[in-house]
Amino acid sequence: MITAALERLHPLARGSLAALAGASFSLGLAPFNAWPIALLSIAAFYWLLQHSKRPVLIGWLYGLGFWGVGTSWVFNSIHDYGYTPAWMAAPIFLIFAASLALFHALQAWTHKKLSKHASGVLSVFIFAMLWVGFEWFRGWFLTGLPWLYVGYAAIDTPLVGFAPFTGIFSLSFAMALSAMLPIILLQHKHIASAAAIFLLWPLGFLAGSQQWTEPLSTQSVAMVQGNIPQDQKWQASMRETTLNIYAGLSESQWSKRDLIIWPEAAIPLFHSQATDFIESMQDKATGSKASLITGIPYNLPDGRFYNSVISLSPDLARYDKQRLVPFGEYIPLSDWIRKVSPFLPIANFSKGSDEQSPLPYTKGEIAPFICYETAYPSTINPLAAQADILVTLSNDGWFGASIGPHQHLQMAQMRAIEAQKYVLRATNTGYTAIITPKGKLQDIAAFAKRAVLVGEFQTRSGSTPYNRLGNWPFYALFLCFGFVIFFLTHRNKTQSV
């Protein structure tokens, strides 16, 4: 009955449903956390594809709603902090969302080709595979945008127990398969397949009881949220004020805490310009036996400069950001642009080495990450396996009062679950938080308020299978699944000839 009604719909109405289904997906992620809606969104996408003569268009419209709502914070960045008037920022954002929607259009086209000789249930499994396959693909293609993974919606479900084993992509695969349950039961009435998928949920619950890390010691931290307005942060007139804010808010914490953390680029000067200030903070760290972790732009004599984290513990150690934001921290194809227009001024941050060590502090070692890197578990895994805690510094002021900071915080929660270690998250405007190894928010500072978040955390030894092996177990599972589907599809094709 529903199928017949859908087939009678005007193409414009069907396209509108696709865009609406895509737009609803983000309700399954932070800050809404209504994960069943994310599953219904995926199921609706599949259903519409099955009953449309223009699946590529349906895929693109679904993607337009998906990205238009899910990355709506990009408009804030362009308009509020890129000083672009709304009449210009709106079409720029629309082009951005429309371009990303091509991923879903390509996914729809690929599904149509691969499921041509697939039975009904087989087509469902192909769709779930393509969903997670395209999540992986857009996570690295053209530097990648690893945002809006459905696996993040699993953070409040039993499926999250798989995260320390096989990471975010296994969660996305399990969620995509779970989204297909209504299709399998109501349309195809294939009880065995539905039972196999449903079994993932109790298995995830059991997997979540496995402990891969052990507590070492309980320590105290103070994280300073300076709440420096984004449009003032880099003004020369604000430099001294900013330094005084961070130093002043930290003054009463030195003798009480093991660790003091400031956010990304809390020191709005190159390291070579702030040596006196850094030395004064180093003296305080030495005198109090505490450690200071802070973000700072770090320049070298050869002209290179990095978005860095330094640890004063009391000796200075440094971590350089590995994952740079395109157009924010570097211009793609800048080497080619320099050849074509050698007089055009282009200043890029340099990419940090892929082989860096954890940063030491007085009572342990941290795995540091800066802002955007939180979205890349493959970047985080090597250091997370070696360190006692994870520390992420960010400046989410670029997001404004949007859903962006909530989504970014949820990613940090997932990294804590994957590593089974505490994550200490310090940001300029929020959300500054202490996150437990279970991904729970133990303490959190108010958004867009100047604050010092004080609390306790545990250092932990050991590492999870995901931190040690990365995505390789998932790749193996995915390939095995793919080979089975290829065999069954090829057999169906042969029998139909």
Side-chain angles (χ1 to χ4, degrees):
M1 182 177 177
I2 297 176
T3 300
L6 187 61
E7 290 176 343
R8 288 195 297 269
L9 277 178
H10 189 276
L12 183 61
R14 195 179 292 122
S16 298
L17 281 177
L20 182 62
S24 69
F25 177 87
S26 292
L27 295 176
L29 304 177
F32 312 104
N33 298 313
W35 60 264
I37 295 181
L39 300 189
L40 289 174
S41 171
I42 296 173
F45 182 27
Y46 173 82
W47 191 271
L48 287 163
L49 287 180
Q50 290 299 100
H51 300 92
S52 174
K53 296 179 180 179
R54 297 180 177 178
V56 173
L57 179 60
I58 291 295
W60 183 79
L61 290 170
Y62 178 88
L64 189 63
F66 182 96
W67 294 104
V69 173
T71 60
S72 54
W73 45 266
V74 172
F75 175 82
N76 294 58
S77 300
I78 297 170
H79 177 244
D80 297 341
Y81 305 112
Y83 306 105
T84 306
W87 64 267
M88 187 181 297
I92 291 173
F93 172 67
L94 184 61
I95 292 170
F96 170 80
S99 299
L100 290 173
L102 293 173
F103 282 114
H104 287 89
L106 182 59
Q107 179 183 338
W109 180 84
T110 307
H111 181 259
K112 178 180 174 65
K113 292 296 182 182
L114 293 182
S115 60
K116 186 177 181 181
H117 298 286
S119 62
V121 175
L122 202 54
S123 172
V124 167
F125 282 99
I126 290 173
F127 180 83
M129 281 191 65
L130 287 174
W131 182 278
V132 69
F134 271 84
E135 281 193 348
W136 169 81
F137 176 63
R138 62 180 166 83
W140 62 264
F141 181 70
L142 295 179
T143 76
L145 183 62
W147 218 265
L148 303 182
Y149 288 172
V150 71
Y152 291 114
I155 203 165
D156 293 320
T157 74
L159 293 175
V160 79
F162 291 122
F165 288 88
T166 47
I168 185 64
F169 290 123
S170 66
L171 297 187
S172 285
F173 195 26
M175 290 290 278
L177 287 171
S178 298
M180 297 293 99
L181 275 173
I183 307 291
I184 293 172
L185 285 172
L186 299 177
Q187 182 177 346
H188 303 299
K189 298 178 174 59
H190 203 281
I191 305 301
S193 295
I197 294 172
F198 182 79
L199 189 61
L200 292 172
W201 290 70
L203 287 176
F205 178 80
L206 292 174
S209 64
Q210 178 66 44
Q211 292 297 311
W212 299 96
T213 63
E214 297 179 351
L216 290 172
S217 65
T218 300
Q219 299 177 23
S220 179
V221 63
M223 292 187 283
V224 181
Q225 184 171 287
N227 197 37
I228 310 298
Q230 188 60 36
D231 56 355
Q232 300 176 24
K233 181 175 175 62
W234 296 104
Q235 292 180 9
S237 59
M238 274 293 292
R239 290 173 181 172
E240 186 174 352
T241 301
T242 298
L243 296 180
N244 288 338
I245 287 171
Y246 281 103
L249 291 174
S250 304
E251 186 61 35
S252 63
Q253 303 298 327
W254 289 105
S255 60
K256 302 175 185 178
R257 312 298 166 202
D258 300 296
L259 199 53
I260 295 175
I261 305 177
W262 298 352
E264 177 186 10
I267 300 176
L269 295 162
F270 282 119
H271 174 266
S272 62
Q273 299 171 313
T275 52
D276 291 343
F277 178 78
I278 291 171
E279 287 175 3
S280 69
M281 294 299 103
Q282 199 158 8
D283 289 341
K284 289 183 180 294
T286 302
S288 63
K289 296 183 180 179
S291 296
L292 172 65
I293 307 294
T294 183
I296 184 173
Y298 201 101
N299 58 325
L300 298 180
D302 61 8
R304 287 178 296 162
F305 52 95
Y306 298 88
N307 188 353
S308 301
V309 178
I310 58 172
S311 169
L312 306 179
S313 59
D315 296 329
L316 188 148
R318 187 178 98 241
Y319 167 83
D320 300 322
K321 188 177 183 182
Q322 301 176 51
R323 290 280 187 173
L324 302 176
V325 180
F327 301 104
E329 293 172 312
Y330 79 101
I331 304 298
L333 304 176
S334 57
D335 290 340
W336 179 83
I337 293 172
R338 284 193 186 95
K339 290 178 181 178
V340 176
S341 302
F343 301 106
L344 187 66
I346 297 176
N348 287 334
F349 278 98
S350 296
K351 175 184 176 296
S353 169
D354 295 337
E355 299 181 359
Q356 299 185 65
S357 300
L359 286 185
Y361 71 103
T362 50
K363 293 188 177 180
E365 291 185 319
I366 69 169
F369 305 101
I370 303 174
C371 191
Y372 190 56
E373 292 183 315
T374 310
Y376 290 90
S378 58
T379 300
I380 288 176
N381 279 335
L383 289 183
Q386 305 171 54
D388 306 318
I389 54 170
L390 280 63
V391 172
T392 176
L393 311 185
S394 188
N395 176 25
D396 287 357
W398 291 105
F399 295 133
S402 68
I403 60 177
H406 299 271
Q407 294 173 344
H408 208 194
L409 174 63
Q410 189 173 54
M411 293 178 185
Q413 292 176 263
M414 185 60 73
R415 303 294 86 86
I417 297 168
E418 290 166 347
Q420 281 192 355
K421 290 176 181 176
Y422 270 83
V423 170
L424 306 179
R425 185 173 192 265
T427 70
N428 174 34
T429 57
Y431 289 98
T432 296
I434 299 174
I435 306 171
T436 73
K438 291 289 186 181
K440 303 302 180 184
L441 299 176
Q442 177 179 298
D443 298 289
I444 187 167
F447 182 75
K449 299 289 184 182
R450 190 162 293 163
V452 179
L453 182 65
V454 173
E456 292 187 336
F457 66 93
Q458 283 183 338
T459 55
R460 298 182 73 89
S461 64
S463 59
T464 63
Y466 185 58
N467 282 161
R468 294 193 300 270
L469 302 174
N471 290 320
W472 287 108
F474 169 74
Y475 294 154
L477 174 66
F478 192 80
L479 283 174
C480 289
F481 214 84
F483 278 128
V484 171
I485 287 179
F486 175 79
F487 170 77
L488 293 175
T489 304
H490 182 72
R491 186 184 65 179
N492 290 346
K493 181 179 179 181
T494 302
Q495 292 174 349
S496 65
V497 174

